Amino acid sequence: MLGILLSALCFAEPQFVTLETGDTAPFSGRLLNDEAIAKIGVEDSFKVEQCNLQINYELEKQKLELELKFEKEKIMLETDNQILEEKVILRDQTILELRDLRKPWPPVFYSSAGFFIGASTTIAILYAVNE
């Protein structure tokens, strides 16, 4: 209902008549003097300026919040990258240490072990047959 009333006011033709003191108004409505009209004009421009300031404030605030969020995400990304690089370094060190443990014994060990095992077997057979 209010929308219908407001829309009727929007499409109404403005009426303007200059009156002198003692004249009667040719239409019903509100009567404003020049100071009131000037005040309304100044208040309207002040409201527009105030709205623009509020918009600029909110935009700047949002911009700073987004920059803060961006910096936070950037720091988290850099930290994660450093952690992953350290993990890769530790993994590579572990692989090298395990390779060092995997290296075969020198050939002298194998020939010595073969000699001692063969000699032990021969001695064991000799005692087994003599008894």
Side-chain angles (χ1 to χ4, degrees), residues 17-96:
V17 175
T18 305
L19 297 175
E20 297 296 326
T21 306
D23 291 345
T24 59
F27 54 87
S28 62
R30 301 200 189 326
L31 179 63
L32 300 174
N33 63 4
D34 290 338
E35 289 81 16
I37 292 173
K39 182 179 176 187
I40 290 172
V42 168
E43 285 178 356
D44 284 347
S45 65
F46 177 73
K47 287 179 183 178
V48 168
E49 187 64 30
Q50 185 180 11
C51 184
N52 287 337
L53 287 173
Q54 185 69 24
I55 289 171
N56 289 337
Y57 169 76
E58 291 296 328
L59 286 175
E60 189 65 27
K61 181 180 169 185
Q62 190 176 29
K63 178 184 172 188
L64 291 174
E65 287 175 355
L66 288 175
E67 286 177 1
L68 180 65
K69 186 176 179 181
F70 174 75
E71 288 298 321
K72 181 181 173 184
E73 292 295 325
K74 183 177 170 184
I75 289 170
M76 287 177 61
L77 178 65
E78 289 173 355
T79 304
D80 288 345
N81 280 342
Q82 286 178 340
I83 289 171
L84 290 175
E85 287 175 0
E86 290 296 323
K87 284 183 177 181
V88 166
I89 291 171
L90 287 174
R91 182 202 63 196
D92 291 343
Q93 288 176 350
T94 304
I95 289 172
L96 289 176

Side-chain angles (χ1 to χ4, degrees), residues 112-131:
S112 300
F115 173 77
F116 287 120
I117 291 173
S120 301
T121 306
T122 305
I123 292 172
I125 293 172
L126 181 66
Y127 280 120
V129 170
N130 286 339
E131 289 189 22

